[in-house]
Amino acid sequence: MTATSCLVANDWICAEYVRSRAQELTDATVQHVWITVVSVLIGLAVALPLALLVRARPRWAGPVLGLTTVLYTIPSLAMFSLLLPLFGLSAALVVTGLVLYSLTILVRNILAGLAAVPDETREAARGMGYGRGRLLWEVELPLALPAVMAGVRMATVSTIALTTVGALVDYGGLGTLITGGLKSYFKAQVLTASVVCVLLAVAADLLLLGAQRLLTPWTRAGKAG
């Protein structure tokens, strides 16, 4: 069987598909990465103030954590449908939905990281003249990084998976190829796009794990000790 015939035979594994559709796969992967990165970064930008609000005003913990949990439980089809009147069929619709899904993970992990900072460390910093803002940015957030990065890793992998649902509005990255392949029963397209999506999630997790290790060298020193 020749390499070209696998397309005619509609095989699951087909090298000719990868060669002939390389640009299509690349474009879908780039869109998938772009949507994921933008969604997680915006999610972080929203989650940090929410976490700080909850810490400063504990009475807000119930409403904020409850709302983010409820948002996470909304089925993706319903979420996009609710956002459709605001954003129309656009990338902003997908990004906004993904940001809302990421909040429950990010807010909780930021709060957990801040709560894990030892009180004696805070007192020592205050004794050295650190104000509230400097204490947060130079002491608390750096020490909270392991928990924060763990949340970013979970949110990123989750977002990579959920991005595929954006195929409903033609902004699903690799999900658009998967959905198109399922509709036409194009086996090679379905399998190849699915494998690339899985590899993307694994690569992102490993990359963020490496970044976490670089940013928190004291955690490695503690384990070595």
Side-chain angles (χ1 to χ4, degrees):
M1 183 177 289
T2 63
T4 304
S5 65
C6 65
L7 282 174
V8 178
N10 195 25
D11 293 333
W12 285 104
I13 300 175
C14 183
E16 182 62 22
Y17 167 77
V18 177
R19 286 194 293 269
S20 62
R21 304 292 183 90
Q23 189 59 53
E24 186 178 48
L25 281 167
T26 300
D27 291 343
T29 302
V30 169
Q31 184 186 74
H32 209 109
V33 171
W34 176 81
I35 290 174
T36 298
V37 171
V38 170
S39 300
V40 173
L41 288 178
I42 295 177
L44 265 176
V46 175
L48 180 58
L50 284 177
L52 294 178
L53 172 64
V54 168
R55 192 181 67 153
R57 301 179 183 274
R59 66 176 181 276
W60 284 89
V64 171
L65 295 178
L67 177 60
T68 58
T69 300
V70 168
L71 289 173
Y72 194 77
T73 62
I74 298 175
S76 53
L77 180 59
M79 176 72 82
F80 290 161
S81 297
L82 291 171
L83 295 173
L84 186 59
L86 295 174
F87 299 99
L89 298 176
S90 65
L93 168 67
V94 179
V95 169
T96 302
L98 296 174
V99 168
L100 294 177
Y101 279 130
S102 71
L103 291 181
T104 186
I105 298 172
L106 295 174
V107 171
R108 290 177 185 275
N109 276 71
I110 292 172
L111 284 173
L114 292 174
V117 177
D119 289 334
E120 55 268 25
T121 302
R122 292 190 180 92
E123 291 302 321
R126 292 190 185 100
M128 295 171 62
Y130 280 57
R132 182 177 299 178
R134 190 181 176 193
L135 175 64
L136 173 65
W137 291 105
E138 295 186 20
V139 178
E140 293 180 310
L141 283 179
L143 291 178
L145 264 180
V148 174
M149 288 300 296
V152 171
R153 288 170 59 197
M154 288 189 290
T156 300
V157 172
S158 175
T159 301
I160 289 173
L162 288 169
T163 296
T164 57
V165 184
L168 293 169
V169 294
D170 204 28
Y171 287 97
L174 293 164
T176 303
L177 294 183
I178 295 172
T179 302
L182 287 172
K183 289 180 179 178
S184 60
Y185 200 58
F186 192 173
K187 295 178 181 178
Q189 180 166 303
V190 173
L191 182 61
T192 303
S194 299
V195 169
V196 174
C197 190
V198 171
L199 292 177
L200 190 61
V202 172
D205 189 54
L206 292 176
L207 183 64
L208 288 170
L209 178 60
Q212 177 181 334
R213 290 173 63 83
L214 286 174
L215 292 171
T216 58
W218 63 88
T219 59
R220 300 199 304 276
K223 290 179 181 178

